[in-house]
Amino acid sequence: MKRFNLRAYALIIHKKKILLTDEIRFGKKMTKFPGGGLEWGEGLMDAVRRECREELQQEPLSAEHFYTTDFFIASAFHSDDQLISVYYKVKLPHPEKIKVAKKVFDFEKEEEGAQLFRWIEMKNISPENFTFPIDKLVAEKLLAPK
Protein backbone atom coordinates (compact mmCIF):
# COMPACT_ATOMS: atom_id res chain seq x y z
CA MET A 1 0.00 0.00 0.00
CA LYS A 2 1.34 3.43 -0.94
CA ARG A 3 1.20 6.04 1.81
CA PHE A 4 2.57 9.36 3.00
CA ASN A 5 5.18 9.52 5.75
CA LEU A 6 5.13 12.91 7.51
CA ARG A 7 8.27 13.96 9.38
CA ALA A 8 9.14 17.04 11.44
CA TYR A 9 12.68 18.23 12.14
CA ALA A 10 14.32 20.86 14.36
CA LEU A 11 17.09 23.12 13.11
CA ILE A 12 18.73 24.21 16.36
CA ILE A 13 21.35 26.91 15.95
CA HIS A 14 23.31 28.16 18.96
CA LYS A 15 26.48 30.28 19.00
CA LYS A 16 26.99 29.86 15.24
CA LYS A 17 26.72 26.06 15.51
CA ILE A 18 23.94 23.72 14.43
CA LEU A 19 22.89 20.50 16.14
CA LEU A 20 23.11 17.19 14.26
CA THR A 21 22.19 13.69 15.38
CA ASP A 22 24.01 10.47 14.54
CA GLU A 23 21.80 7.40 14.82
CA ILE A 24 21.57 3.72 14.02
CA ARG A 25 18.16 2.79 12.59
CA PHE A 26 17.24 -0.31 10.60
CA GLY A 27 20.87 -1.40 10.91
CA LYS A 28 22.14 1.73 9.13
CA LYS A 29 24.30 4.54 10.52
CA MET A 30 22.94 7.95 9.61
CA THR A 31 23.51 11.63 10.26
CA LYS A 32 20.52 13.96 10.14
CA PHE A 33 18.78 16.80 11.92
CA PRO A 34 16.94 16.00 15.17
CA GLY A 35 13.33 14.99 14.72
CA GLY A 36 11.23 12.20 13.32
CA GLY A 37 7.83 10.96 12.26
CA LEU A 38 4.45 12.24 13.30
CA GLU A 39 2.38 10.03 15.55
CA TRP A 40 -1.36 9.57 15.06
CA GLY A 41 -3.28 12.61 16.29
CA GLU A 42 -0.31 15.00 16.17
CA GLY A 43 0.10 18.16 14.16
CA LEU A 44 3.51 19.18 12.85
CA MET A 45 4.27 21.50 15.76
CA ASP A 46 3.13 18.83 18.23
CA ALA A 47 5.66 16.46 16.67
CA VAL A 48 8.50 19.00 16.84
CA ARG A 49 7.76 19.69 20.50
CA ARG A 50 7.50 15.97 21.34
CA GLU A 51 10.74 15.14 19.49
CA CYS A 52 12.57 17.93 21.36
CA ARG A 53 11.23 16.65 24.68
CA GLU A 54 12.09 13.01 23.89
CA GLU A 55 15.48 13.53 22.28
CA LEU A 56 16.75 16.70 23.97
CA GLN A 57 14.75 16.84 27.22
CA GLN A 58 13.71 20.43 26.48
CA GLU A 59 10.50 22.17 25.49
CA PRO A 60 11.06 24.54 22.54
CA LEU A 61 10.63 28.25 23.25
CA SER A 62 9.72 28.92 19.62
CA ALA A 63 9.69 27.31 16.19
CA GLU A 64 9.62 29.04 12.81
CA HIS A 65 8.92 27.18 9.57
CA PHE A 66 12.02 26.89 7.39
CA TYR A 67 11.30 24.37 4.62
CA THR A 68 8.83 21.70 3.50
CA THR A 69 9.74 19.03 0.97
CA ASP A 70 8.46 20.23 -2.39
CA PHE A 71 9.43 17.26 -4.57
CA PHE A 72 8.74 13.54 -4.56
CA ILE A 73 11.07 11.34 -2.58
CA ALA A 74 10.51 7.78 -1.45
CA SER A 75 11.57 6.61 1.97
CA ALA A 76 15.01 5.03 2.15
CA PHE A 77 13.51 2.30 4.34
CA HIS A 78 10.01 1.77 2.93
CA SER A 79 9.87 2.24 -0.86
CA ASP A 80 6.05 2.55 -0.84
CA ASP A 81 6.22 5.57 1.51
CA GLN A 82 6.42 9.09 0.09
CA LEU A 83 8.29 11.33 2.52
CA ILE A 84 7.09 14.80 3.36
CA SER A 85 9.55 16.47 5.71
CA VAL A 86 8.98 19.79 7.43
CA TYR A 87 11.87 21.69 9.00
CA TYR A 88 11.58 24.35 11.70
CA LYS A 89 14.18 26.70 13.15
CA VAL A 90 13.77 25.95 16.84
CA LYS A 91 14.94 27.89 19.88
CA LEU A 92 15.54 25.89 23.06
CA PRO A 93 15.81 27.31 26.58
CA HIS A 94 19.14 25.59 27.33
CA PRO A 95 20.92 24.34 24.21
CA GLU A 96 24.21 24.31 26.11
CA LYS A 97 22.85 21.51 28.34
CA ILE A 98 22.50 19.02 25.48
CA LYS A 99 24.90 16.12 25.99
CA VAL A 100 27.05 16.02 22.86
CA ALA A 101 29.79 13.92 21.33
CA LYS A 102 32.92 15.31 19.72
CA LYS A 103 33.21 12.76 16.89
CA VAL A 104 30.87 11.32 14.28
CA PHE A 105 29.29 7.99 15.31
CA ASP A 106 31.10 7.97 18.67
CA PHE A 107 28.49 5.64 20.20
CA GLU A 108 29.10 3.91 23.54
CA LYS A 109 27.54 0.80 21.97
CA GLU A 110 26.94 0.37 18.24
CA GLU A 111 23.44 -1.05 18.39
CA GLU A 112 19.99 -0.48 16.92
CA GLY A 113 18.49 2.73 18.30
CA ALA A 114 21.82 4.27 19.33
CA GLN A 115 21.76 8.06 19.11
CA LEU A 116 24.11 10.92 19.90
CA PHE A 117 24.18 14.63 19.20
CA ARG A 118 26.93 16.92 18.05
CA TRP A 119 27.35 20.57 17.25
CA ILE A 120 28.95 21.60 13.97
CA GLU A 121 30.05 25.11 13.06
CA MET A 122 27.59 26.68 10.61
CA LYS A 123 30.52 27.73 8.43
CA ASN A 124 31.52 24.03 8.16
CA ILE A 125 28.09 22.64 7.33
CA SER A 126 27.93 20.83 4.03
CA PRO A 127 25.51 18.46 2.26
CA GLU A 128 28.21 15.79 2.68
CA ASN A 129 27.61 15.90 6.45
CA PHE A 130 24.22 14.24 5.96
CA THR A 131 22.93 10.82 4.95
CA PHE A 132 19.61 11.68 3.30
CA PRO A 133 18.84 13.84 0.24
CA ILE A 134 16.35 16.14 1.96
CA ASP A 135 18.78 16.95 4.79
CA LYS A 136 21.47 17.64 2.18
CA LEU A 137 19.13 20.12 0.46
CA VAL A 138 18.25 21.79 3.78
CA ALA A 139 21.98 22.18 4.52
CA GLU A 140 22.37 23.97 1.17
CA LYS A 141 19.41 26.22 1.97
CA LEU A 142 20.88 27.09 5.38
CA LEU A 143 24.07 28.24 3.63
CA ALA A 144 22.34 30.20 0.87
CA PRO A 145 22.66 33.98 1.08
CA LYS A 146 19.50 35.65 2.33
Side-chain angles (χ1 to χ4, degrees):
M1 176 170 80
K2 304 222 184 271
R3 51 189 193 165
F4 293 101
N5 184 337
L6 294 169
R7 319 219 29 102
Y9 294 98
L11 304 173
I12 300 165
I13 300 170
H14 178 66
K15 294 185 178 179
K16 299 184 182 177
K17 295 180 181 179
I18 191 161
L19 191 67
L20 308 184
T21 176
D22 296 323
E23 303 178 17
I24 300 175
R25 301 275 186 257
F26 302 104
K28 178 179 175 150
K29 288 182 181 177
M30 60 187 75
T31 298
K32 62 185 201 61
F33 293 107
L38 270 70
E39 295 179 356
W40 179 256
E42 282 185 323
L44 291 162
M45 286 303 305
D46 298 324
V48 168
R49 283 191 287 272
R50 177 184 49 77
E51 291 285 348
C52 286
R53 283 191 305 270
E54 288 176 2
E55 295 185 357
L56 305 169
Q57 290 73 54
Q58 295 187 42
E59 184 75 28
L61 296 172
S62 66
E64 176 186 334
H65 179 263
F66 181 75
Y67 175 74
T68 298
T69 308
D70 56 4
F71 57 95
F72 172 80
I73 188 158
S75 167
F77 303 106
H78 307 287
S79 61
D80 282 347
D81 284 7
Q82 177 178 342
L83 290 183
I84 300 172
S85 298
V86 184
Y87 294 80
Y88 292 90
K89 283 190 171 179
V90 171
K91 294 217 181 307
L92 295 177
H94 304 288
E96 69 283 354
K97 291 185 179 179
I98 298 169
K99 183 181 174 190
V100 294
K102 300 282 188 215
K103 299 186 308 189
V104 177
F105 303 125
D106 193 19
F107 301 114
E108 286 182 25
K109 274 177 100 173
E110 283 201 22
E111 61 187 9
E112 184 66 23
Q115 180 178 31
L116 59 82
F117 297 94
R118 12 180 213 106
W119 293 106
I120 184 171
E121 296 278 346
M122 284 296 294
K123 66 182 180 185
N124 294 333
I125 197 171
S126 160
E128 288 75 42
N129 297 123
F130 299 92
T131 304
F132 301 112
I134 300 172
D135 291 322
K136 291 175 185 286
L137 176 67
V138 169
E140 289 174 2
K141 289 183 173 297
L142 283 166
L143 292 171
K146 301 205 174 13

